[in-house]
Amino acid sequence: GAFVQEQLRVASGTLAGLAATAALRFDWIAHDIVDASPDDPGKATGRAAFSSWVPAAGLSWAFASRWLASASYAGGFRAPAFLELTCADATSPCIGLQSGVAPDTSLGSLRPVRARSLEAGVSASPLDDLTLTATAFRIDLHDDIFAVTLPSTTRVVFQNVGDTRRQ
């Protein structure tokens, strides 16, 4: 990965205490999987690679002595993990997560999870050793990945299940 960030602060005038931050990160991950199982070696051998540009931006303002307001936006990216990739095919599911991986040769059927988060808050320090903070946040995930048990079995597959939210 690579990361770049810049921050601008206003030191004097009406907007003194205002700061803006912008960042951009590039993430790249590859899973090189070599199946050395004794039963059918090479069946689950493959490569899956994922990449994404991930932005972030924020504002903070120390608008009065001991008071700070802030707001931010950030993207997020999570590539499927090794176990998720090798247990993502319903025709070749995992018997159970404790049993290990299944011979899933697709290795690319899952999409990475993408996140968009917003956060805003205010902090106050009425005493030297005390800070009070109130913050609200919302994270929307796209293509979230969950373990799904196939009907009437203990077999598990990982699937992209669509959009989820935390707030």
Side-chain angles (χ1 to χ4, degrees), residues 33-58:
I33 299 168
V34 178
D35 180 2
S37 63
D39 298 334
D40 196 3
K43 186 173 182 183
T45 295
R47 177 183 175 88
F50 303 91
S51 64
S52 182
W53 290 97
V54 182

Side-chain angles (χ1 to χ4, degrees), residues 55-96:
L59 289 174
S60 64
W61 187 23
F63 60 91
S65 177
R66 299 181 179 250
W67 285 87
L68 176 74
S70 63
S72 65
Y73 164 83
F77 168 80
R78 182 182 78 78
F82 168 77
L83 184 62
E84 293 168 334
L85 285 171
T86 57
C87 293
D89 184 357
T91 63
S92 183
C94 288
I95 306 284

Side-chain angles (χ1 to χ4, degrees), residues 20-150:
T21 304
L24 185 62
R25 186 178 76 226
F26 178 74
D27 289 333
W28 180 80
I29 185 169
H31 294 283
D32 291 313
I33 299 168
V34 178
D35 180 2
S37 63
D39 298 334
D40 196 3
K43 186 173 182 183
T45 295
R47 177 183 175 88
F50 303 91
S51 64
S52 182
W53 290 97
V54 182
L59 289 174
S60 64
W61 187 23
F63 60 91
S65 177
R66 299 181 179 250
W67 285 87
L68 176 74
S70 63
S72 65
Y73 164 83
F77 168 80
R78 182 182 78 78
F82 168 77
L83 184 62
E84 293 168 334
L85 285 171
T86 57
C87 293
D89 184 357
T91 63
S92 183
C94 288
I95 306 284
L97 296 182
Q98 68 281 4
S99 300
V101 299
D104 179 359
T105 57
S106 64
L107 299 181
S109 61
L110 291 176
R111 294 175 303 280
V113 180
R114 300 190 184 278
R116 300 292 177 249
S117 64
L118 299 168
E119 185 172 343
V122 64
S123 294
S125 297
L127 303 172
D128 286 340
D129 295 329
L130 176 67
T131 300
L132 304 172
T133 302
T135 303
F137 71 92
R138 176 177 168 157
I139 303 171
D140 292 316
L141 298 176
H142 182 66
D143 285 332
D144 210 353
I145 298 172
F146 279 88
V148 178
T149 304
L150 297 176

